[in-house]
Amino acid sequence: MEVIIIDILSRVRSYKEEVDSLKWEGTFEEYLGIIKERPEVAQTAHSRVYNMIKSSGVEERDGKKMYQFFGKEIFGLETALERLVEEYFHPAARRLDVRKRILLLMGPVSGGKSTIVTLLKRGLEHYSRTDEGAVYAIKGCPMHEDPLHLIPQHLREDFFKEYGIRIEGSLSPLNTMRLEQEYGGHVEDVLIERIFFSEDKRVGIGTFTPSDPKSQDIADLTGSIDFSTIAEYGSESDPRAYRFDGELNKANRGMMEFQEMLKLDEKFLWHLLSLTQEGNFKAGRFALISADELIVAHTNETEYRTFISNKKNEALHSRIIVMPIPYNLKVSEEERIYAKMISESDMAHVHIAPHALRAAAIFSVLTRLEIPKKQGIDLVKKMRLYDGESVEGFNSVDVEELKKEHQNEGMNGIDPRYVINRISSAIIRKEVPSINALDVLRSLKEGLDQHASISEEDREKYMNYIAIARKEYDEIAKNEVQKAFVYSYEESAKHLMNNYLDNVEAFCNKNKLRDPITGEEMNPDEKLMRSIEEQIGISENAKRAFREEILIRLSAFARKGKRFDYNSHERLREAIQKKLFADLKDVVKITTSSTTPDESQLKKINEVVARLIDKHGYDSNSANELLRYVGSLLNR
C-alpha cells in the first residue's frame, strides 16, 4: 500500500512539473513572434473545439465518419455525432454564420447529452496543455482576454495581410485602462501569458444552472460591482471597481455550458442573444464587452416544444442550432453502455453472465424503435439490421430507407439508467455472486409497475418486448449450450461444412462425388444439404440461389489466395451450428434434465460446465443455471 501511495504522489508531482514546464510569459512583441510562426495559436473558440475533436482521429466506416474523440464514452450515436461535428463545429470553425448560434443538444433523459458536454470540457482542458491547443491571454486579465485585441481597429486590415489572422472584438474596459496606466500606452510591452483551461479554476470553461428566477442575479453571468472599492476608485464606472467574475467572463476563449437553458429568465436570455450574434455582452456601466466562446445548452424535447411555442422566444429561437441526440438504437452498442456503467459502479465485482446485458439491451432498443412501414420487416428484423446483422432479403439500402421512415426515432423509450437500476435491484435481491439474463429480464418486468412516467399503453407494449427479449435469449442460450456440448466443436463444424461444400460444388457443377471408402461415384447428397439449409429457413425454391452464392464466395476466396473457412460465411456458419445442435438435442435433453444423472451423464455435464467457464465466460453458478434452463427449454 505504501508503494502505491508513493507512486501516486510521484505522479502528481510529475504532472505538476509537466504543467509548470508549459508555462510561458513574455511581452506582446514576443507573442507576435509566436503567432507569426504558429498562426493556429490565435484560433477562435469554435475553431479550437473543432481542431481538438479532429486531433483525436477520424475513421471512415460504411461511408460515415467516426470521431475517436467520443469513441470511449459515447456508443451508438455515430450519425448524431457526425452531424454535430460536420454541421455545427466545422462551419463554425470556418467563421461561417453558424458560429453565431447557441448550440442546443436536444434528446431524451440519459441519452448522452451531458456526457458530450463533459467530454468537450475535459477535452479542452487537456487540449490547452498541448502545443497545437496552446492558448495565450493578457496577463492579469480576469477574462483571459485575447492579446490581439491590443491591435487598434485601424491597423487590423494590415495585420490580416501580414499575418493572415482576422481579429474580432474590442479591448475590454479594464485592459484599456491598464494599457494606459501600467504600460504608458506601449502595446509592445504588455505582458502575455499562456493559460490552461480549467473548469475548477474557472479558466476558459463556465457552467451556469438557473435557480429561482426571483433570487437569481444577472451578476452570476456578467459579474458585479465591488462596492468595497468605490471609495478607492471613486466611481461605479471605473473598471477596477468591477468584478469580472461572471460565468460569461470566465468562459471567454473557451466554452460555456448552460444547464436547463430554456428555464432561464428572459433577462438572462437576452444577454445570450447579444453574445452569440455580436460577440459581446453588456456588463455594468461599460461599453459592450467582447467575448469569444462556444455556448452549448441541453434540454429534452418536451421543454423545447414548450419554449418555441412561446411567441416571446422567437428572436432567441432563430439564434439556436438544435442538434437531436437520440437514444442509441444498436443492441451491441447498448451492451457497451451497460458494461461501462457497471464498471464505474460498486457492482463491478459481481459476475454478470454472458448475454445478460444483451437481453436487457434487446428490450431497451425495442422500446425505442418505431414500427417499420416497409413490407416484410418486423421490429426484430429492424433491430437486427440496425445492429449490422444480415437479414435475408435485405441490405444496407433498406437500412437507410428504414432510418428515413421516422425522423424522430430514438427520442422515446427506456433509458439506460433505468436498466442499470433494475440490474442493481436484481443483484441485491438475489444475494449471489452472479446474475443471469433471466434475473435481469425479471427485474425489468417488475420495475415497469414502479415506473411513474410509463403509460398503461406503453407498459403493455414493454411487457411484450420483454417477452421478445426472452425469446431471443432462449435462442442464444441454446446456442451456447450447443457449442459447449459438442466435443471438439470446431473440428465437428469444419468437417460438416467441408462435406456440405463438396456436395454444393458437385451440385452446381453437375458433377458426381466419389465415396472416400469404396471409391464409387455417387450423386450429391441432397438430404444432407437440405438438412443444413433448412436450419436457417432456406426454402426448396431458394436452395439453388443459396448454393450458387456459396460457390461464388468460395471462388472469390480462391482467386484472392484465401482459404474459405468456417467463419467465412455468417449464415452458413449459423446453419452448421444449428444442424449440429439438432443432431445433439436428444443427448442434451437427457443429460441436462436428469435429476439423478448416471456417471457418464455427470461426466458430460462437468465437461460442459468446464467448457462454459473456460471458453464462454461463465462462472460455475451461471453455467449450471444455463444448463438447467436449456434443459427445461428442450423438454417443453
Side-chain angles (χ1 to χ4, degrees):
M1 180 63 75
E2 187 179 342
V3 175
I4 295 172
I5 291 171
I6 292 170
D7 184 49
I8 289 171
L9 291 176
S10 68
R11 288 185 189 183
V12 171
R13 279 193 294 271
S14 297
Y15 178 73
K16 185 180 183 305
E17 288 167 7
E18 183 186 336
V19 172
D20 287 343
S21 70
L22 295 174
K23 289 179 179 176
W24 180 91
E25 185 179 309
T27 63
F28 182 63
E29 187 174 3
E30 290 171 313
Y31 173 69
L32 289 179
I34 290 173
I35 61 170
K36 183 77 174 174
E37 200 176 303
R38 294 163 49 216
E40 70 274 7
V41 164
Q43 63 190 322
T44 63
H46 289 84
S47 177
R48 188 172 291 110
V49 172
Y50 174 66
N51 288 327
M52 169 191 74
I53 293 169
K54 219 170 54 163
S55 69
S56 293
V58 186
E59 182 186 331
E60 288 271 352
R61 198 183 300 165
D62 299 327
K64 295 190 181 299
K65 289 182 178 177
M66 317 283 282
Y67 292 92
Q68 303 305 316
F69 177 82
F70 302 102
K72 292 180 182 177
E73 298 289 332
I74 305 287
F75 307 119
L77 296 182
E78 295 83 9
T79 302
L81 291 172
E82 182 181 19
R83 185 180 170 195
L84 173 63
V85 175
E86 294 304 318
E87 293 185 20
Y88 183 80
F89 288 127
H90 192 178
R94 298 287 178 266
R95 295 178 189 264
L96 292 172
D97 211 49
V98 71
R99 74 193 174 105
K100 296 180 178 180
R101 307 286 182 269
I102 297 167
L103 173 62
L104 179 65
L105 306 180
M106 181 186 72
V109 295
S110 293
K113 305 182 297 295
S114 298
T115 305
I116 290 170
V117 175
T118 299
L119 281 175
L120 292 173
K121 292 194 288 190
R122 296 297 85 80
L124 277 174
E125 289 178 339
H126 172 74
Y127 193 58
S128 69
R129 290 172 173 80
T130 64
D131 289 341
E132 60 268 32
V135 189
Y136 295 82
I138 295 173
K139 187 176 182 184
C141 173
M143 285 183 61
H144 12 272
E145 187 167 6
D146 186 346
L148 293 183
H149 286 179
L150 290 162
I151 304 287
Q153 291 286 347
H154 67 281
L155 295 177
R156 291 185 177 183
E157 194 59 41
D158 294 335
F159 181 85
F160 174 67
K161 289 174 184 174
E162 183 177 345
Y163 286 83
I165 297 170
R166 295 190 185 279
I167 304 172
E168 295 176 352
S170 303
L171 195 62
S172 67
L174 180 62
N175 286 323
T176 300
M177 177 177 280
R178 290 180 64 209
L179 175 61
E180 294 303 321
Q181 294 188 0
E182 294 178 29
Y183 298 100
H186 296 290
V187 171
E188 66 277 12
D189 295 332
V190 174
L191 288 177
I192 309 299
E193 64 178 349
R194 182 174 177 180
I195 61 169
F196 305 101
F197 287 164
S198 168
E199 184 175 20
D200 292 339
K201 295 178 181 177
R202 302 182 75 218
V203 178
I205 298 174
T207 305
F208 187 83
T209 305
S211 57
D212 182 1
K214 293 174 184 175
S215 61
Q216 187 136 36
D217 192 343
I218 197 70
D220 295 344
L221 271 187
T222 60
S224 59
I225 296 166
D226 184 354
F227 289 102
S228 66
T229 61
I230 298 294
E232 182 182 351
Y233 300 120
S235 169
E236 290 183 16
S237 59
D238 190 310
R240 291 170 299 179
Y242 196 84
R243 293 194 188 101
F244 293 91
D245 60 355
E247 292 301 321
L248 293 181
N249 308 105
K250 294 300 181 181
N252 186 31
R253 313 294 301 287
M255 69 175 281
M256 173 75 188
E257 176 193 7
F258 273 89
Q259 298 175 350
E260 308 291 346
M261 184 191 79
L262 303 185
K263 292 178 181 175
L264 280 172
D265 188 70
E266 281 179 57
K267 65 183 179 184
F268 291 85
L269 293 174
W270 291 113
H271 276 284
L272 299 189
L273 276 180
S274 173
L275 181 57
T276 51
Q277 198 66 33
E278 309 299 335
N280 53 46
F281 62 92
K282 191 81 172 76
R285 298 179 181 180
F286 309 116
L288 292 168
I289 296 174
S290 297
D292 171 31
E293 51 199 85
L294 157 69
I295 296 180
V296 59
H298 38 94
T299 190
N300 60 54
E301 193 171 9
T302 305
E303 282 182 0
Y304 177 69
R305 300 295 170 209
T306 304
F307 175 78
I308 61 173
S309 65
N310 187 340
K311 291 287 183 186
K312 290 195 292 185
N313 295 327
E314 281 182 359
L316 191 65
H317 178 223
S318 65
R319 289 169 173 83
I320 292 175
I321 293 280
V322 180
M323 284 289 163
I325 306 295
Y327 283 133
N328 158 62
L329 297 177
K330 294 180 180 177
V331 171
S332 55
E333 295 296 304
E334 190 73 8
E335 277 189 86
R336 293 180 69 194
I337 293 172
Y338 300 152
K340 175 179 172 287
M341 292 172 82
I342 288 168
S343 70
E344 293 170 350
S345 73
D346 292 336
M347 297 188 292
H349 66 286
V350 176
H351 178 80
I352 296 176
H355 313 297
L357 298 184
R358 183 168 186 80
I362 289 170
F363 163 70
S364 297
V365 169
L366 286 172
T367 68
R368 300 166 188 172
L369 294 176
E370 300 289 342
I371 303 295
K373 299 173 185 174
K374 195 174 181 69
Q375 196 169 5
I377 289 193
D378 59 19
L379 214 54
V380 173
K381 283 181 182 175
K382 182 179 185 178
M383 175 188 75
R384 287 179 178 156
L385 284 168
Y386 274 19
D387 205 28
E389 291 184 42
S390 60
V391 175
E392 188 179 4
F394 301 99
N395 55 34
S396 57
V397 175
D398 296 302
V399 176
E400 292 309 311
E401 286 178 6
L402 283 169
K403 288 177 178 176
K404 289 173 185 172
E405 283 183 351
H406 303 279
Q407 294 301 316
N408 278 343
E409 190 167 50
M411 298 300 275
N412 295 295
I414 288 292
D415 66 278
R417 283 197 192 116
Y418 168 76
V419 175
I420 289 299
N421 290 343
R422 297 314 304 164
I423 291 173
S424 305
S425 177
I427 289 169
I428 292 163
R429 183 178 61 247
K430 200 173 179 190
E431 293 183 344
V432 291
S434 71
I435 62 166
N436 59 36
L438 297 177
D439 298 322
V440 171
L441 290 175
R442 192 180 300 113
S443 185
L444 287 170
K445 186 177 180 180
E446 291 168 358
L448 291 177
D449 292 329
Q450 303 159 23
H451 204 302
S453 62
I454 296 178
S455 66
E456 196 57 47
E457 184 186 350
D458 281 344
R459 187 175 285 107
E460 198 173 317
K461 261 197 317 185
Y462 291 176
M463 287 292 193
N464 183 45
Y465 294 152
I466 287 174
I468 293 172
R470 168 80 176 266
K471 283 180 186 173
E472 292 291 301
Y473 172 68
D474 287 353
E475 290 305 309
I476 292 168
K478 284 190 279 190
N479 191 45
E480 286 282 81
V481 172
Q482 160 196 319
K483 288 180 183 178
F485 245 92
V486 181
Y487 185 73
S488 302
Y489 176 71
E490 292 293 329
E491 287 304 313
S492 303
K494 285 174 190 173
H495 177 74
L496 183 57
M497 189 197 73
N498 288 332
N499 199 355
Y500 175 79
L501 291 176
D502 288 343
N503 280 277
V504 163
E505 204 167 353
F507 172 85
C508 292
N509 294 328
K510 297 180 179 175
N511 292 334
K512 299 270 187 182
L513 286 167
R514 192 173 293 279
D515 189 295
I517 298 172
T518 65
E520 64 178 305
E521 287 191 334
M522 54 187 184
N523 290 323
D525 190 341
E526 183 66 20
K527 189 176 178 183
L528 171 75
M529 289 187 287
R530 290 303 293 139
S531 71
I532 291 171
E533 292 157 357
E534 284 169 351
Q535 301 296 328
I536 51 171
I538 303 294
S539 66
E540 185 70 27
N541 293 334
K543 70 181 184 183
R544 177 175 289 277
F546 181 74
R547 292 171 189 177
E548 286 173 351
E549 184 212 322
I550 295 290
L551 195 61
I552 290 167
R553 183 80 65 93
L554 199 63
S555 303
F557 270 70
R559 280 199 308 274
K560 293 175 184 175
K562 293 181 180 178
R563 180 175 172 78
F564 186 95
D565 62 23
Y566 173 62
N567 293 307
S568 299
H569 194 286
E570 193 174 329
R571 297 200 68 225
L572 178 57
R573 185 180 68 214
E574 182 189 348
I576 296 287
Q577 288 176 356
K578 287 184 174 179
K579 168 61 178 163
L580 281 171
F581 191 51
D583 294 344
L584 270 173
K585 195 173 279 187
D586 288 338
V587 177
V588 176
K589 202 186 291 186
I590 293 164
T591 310
T592 56
S593 61
S594 178
T595 51
T596 54
D598 60 32
E599 192 176 332
S600 67
Q601 288 172 340
L602 198 58
K603 184 183 175 187
K604 191 69 177 172
I605 289 171
N606 289 336
E607 283 178 5
V608 173
V609 168
R611 208 165 291 129
L612 286 169
I613 294 169
D614 295 341
K615 303 292 183 185
H616 299 277
Y618 290 82
D619 68 353
S620 175
N621 187 59
S622 58
N624 279 291
E625 286 179 338
L626 177 71
L627 277 180
R628 283 194 294 273
Y629 180 62
V630 171
S632 70
L633 286 177
L634 295 176
N635 279 305
R636 285 177 188 172

